[in-house]
Structures are given as C-alpha cells and as structure tokens.
Amino acid sequence: MKLNLKRPLAFFDLETTGVNVGADRIVEIAILKAMPDGSELIKSMRINPEMPIPLHSSLIHGIYDEDIATAPTFKAVAAELSEFIGDADLAGYNSNRFDIPVILEEFLRAGIDFDMSDRKFVDVQNIFHQMEQRTLRAAYKYYCGKDIINAHSAEADITATYHVLLAQIERYKDVDFEDKQGKISRPVQNDVDALHTFTNMNKPVDFAGRMVFNENEEEIFNFGKHKGKTVEQVFDTEPSYYAWMKQGDFPLYTKKKLDEIWARWSKKKDLLKQERQQLAEANRAKQPPRPQQVQEKAQAAPVKKEKPVVDVTNDMLEQLKMKFGK
C-alpha cells in the first residue's frame, strides 16, 4: 500500500552514545523520506560525536570510536540534513521521547533553528504500544512476519519502522480504539494528521516531556514539585524557578521553549503594570481637590499689595494742565 501524504514524511532513527537527551550525541543517523508520489529517498551517515562512545552503547549498536574517527561532526552536516528533511513531517519508533529531542539538541548546538512549529509527528511505537505493546523486533515480526536482519543498525531499524507503519495502517484501519475516557474511535488511518493526534496524546511542549499542554492548551510542568501547575502560574509565585531550570541540566530545546514562555509572561506582566499605572493616573485626574489642598493652595498664592489712596489737590491739577497744555 501507499501512504496518503499531503507532504513528505521523514522517518528517522538515531544511534547515540547513550540515552541522556541533553548530554549524549549522535553516532549514526538514517532518514527515509517518503514522498507524496510514493517514491522514497534515503540518507544514512555515521557521525563523529566528539566524545568517547561508552562500551555498553557500542555493544548495542556495534559502532566503536575507531569507526567514527574520520566521520564528520554533526555541525559539519547539520545544514545538509536540515535541507534534506525540509518541511517534511517526522516519524520514527519512540521518536517523540528520544529521537526528536536528541536531534533538536544537535541542531541547536550547530546553530540551526530547526523549525518544529508546523510539523506533524508520528511515533510508530505509540501506535504499537497502545494497540499491541511490544518491541520493534516483535512489531516487525508481528506485523510483517519477518525478522529484522542486522538489528540496531540505524538503516535496518528505520526501514523496519517504515514497513511496520504501513502494516499497522492496513491492520487497524477498521479497528475501534477506546481511550481512557471511554471514547471510541478509529484513530489509525492513512492520514498523517490523524496519526499525529493518536501518537501525541500527551501533547508535549518540549518533546523531552518536561512540559506538556493541558486540556486548555496551557503549558504545564510535567515533573518535580510543580507538576500539574501551569508554567505561568509558577512564574507568578516562584519566578526563580525559571533561573533554576536555565542553569540546570535540561535539554537545550526545553530551555528554548521555557524562554519563549518567560518572554510571553514578562510581556503580559509589563502590559498589566502599564495598564494599572494608566488607571491610577486617570483616577487621580478625576478626583476633586480635598479641602486641605484648597487651603494649602490659597496660603501658597502670592498676596498683591494695594497702593494707598491719594487725595487729588489743586497743585496736582495745575501740573497736569501745564503738562498736557490744557
């Protein structure tokens, strides 16, 4: 079957030095770009992470320090990767929780603002876990009836993920799903918008899941002592929490979204302060002067001295006649 696409859908998979989104780096990336016309484009490359690869990670994906010694750094290929992905929507296996946050960190380190504002995100694992709950290897076996050859190779994994999604759409297109609220729907459709909605039920703000949207589309914290509170509410009561997060070991993209919310909140506070000042000035202008103010003003006003009255004499009249010739 063929995916029903309005624009390209880029499946991607990462092999990394570890699982810490903020600290670990990419050692291999593979992207399969499914096009609306049914064609497929693939880009795969090794990346020098500019740090040693821990042995336990190498044992999983089979990539060792010597394998990437001459590979380009992510910064060197960031522009090329960004251009290849273009405006495509994104898809992957566990991509919402791991691959998307990691690649966003890498783009930010490279100085590229990879725009996420208008993209859809399809996490194949979320479909699988909500419908069947298994691993990628089991998913491929279950849906496609095959074993993954060369598992934990980025290209093999991402190709398997692509074919699993095709099989999921075929299998579940007429299958009912009941959510936690008891609402029944058929969410697995050959439509990226529908798949985006179904695989992003937590509505992450920053993809690392530190902040999510609530039912009112407000950003709320999803961890720590302020879990469940709106971010702006926390800024109102404890603005130092912003500085704590900025200085803490949080992903760069989490801090980027936090900055956006802080800027919006600060602008609201400034506007509210201006409105209060203007209202106070207007109220002062409308109030009549108090009796004490009137008395103080009268006391402060300068008193004009009156000239003494002088009687007119005959000599004065004679002098005026001589002066004006009368």
Side-chain angles (χ1 to χ4, degrees), residues 295-310:
Q295 184 177 0
E296 290 174 352
K297 188 178 290 187
Q299 292 174 350
V303 179
K304 293 183 179 180
K305 294 183 179 180
E306 295 183 1
K307 295 182 179 180
V309 179
V310 181

Side-chain angles (χ1 to χ4, degrees), residues 116-145:
M116 299 290 286
S117 59
D118 193 36
R119 297 182 195 271
K120 303 298 182 184
F121 321 108
V122 179
D123 192 328
V124 176
Q125 186 192 61
N126 284 352
I127 297 175
F128 185 41
H129 280 185
Q130 292 182 87
M131 303 301 286
E132 301 294 343
Q133 299 186 3
R134 286 188 174 68
T135 64
L136 175 58
R137 182 189 292 272
Y140 194 59
K141 182 72 174 178
Y142 181 83
Y143 290 108
C144 304

Side-chain angles (χ1 to χ4, degrees), residues 226 229 232-239 265:
H226 293 306
K229 296 180 182 177
E232 291 195 14
Q233 178 185 356
V234 173
F235 287 166
D236 285 335
T237 58
E238 190 181 343
W265 173 80

Side-chain angles (χ1 to χ4, degrees), residues 51-81:
M51 64 181 291
I53 304 174
L55 179 60
H56 64 269
S57 296
S58 293
L59 290 173
I60 293 173
H61 50 56
I63 302 172
Y64 295 82
D65 290 334
E66 57 267 26
D67 298 322
I68 46 80
T70 60
T73 64
F74 188 89
K75 187 173 183 178
V77 298
E80 176 186 348
L81 292 173

Side-chain angles (χ1 to χ4, degrees), residues 156-190:
D157 287 354
I158 203 60
T159 301
T161 300
Y162 175 51
H163 289 289
V164 166
L165 177 61
L166 294 177
Q168 286 175 329
I169 293 171
E170 185 67 29
R171 178 181 290 264
Y172 299 123
K173 62 182 179 181
D174 296 320
V175 176
D176 291 340
F177 172 76
E178 184 176 352
D179 63 18
K180 294 178 181 179
Q181 287 73 41
K183 182 180 178 182
I184 297 176
S185 62
R186 293 182 178 177
V188 184
Q189 301 293 327
N190 193 349

Side-chain angles (χ1 to χ4, degrees), residues 314-326:
N314 290 332
D315 291 339
M316 293 172 65
L317 292 173
E318 290 297 328
Q319 288 177 3
L320 289 172
K321 286 181 181 180
M322 291 176 62
K323 183 175 182 180
F324 295 103
K326 292 183 180 181

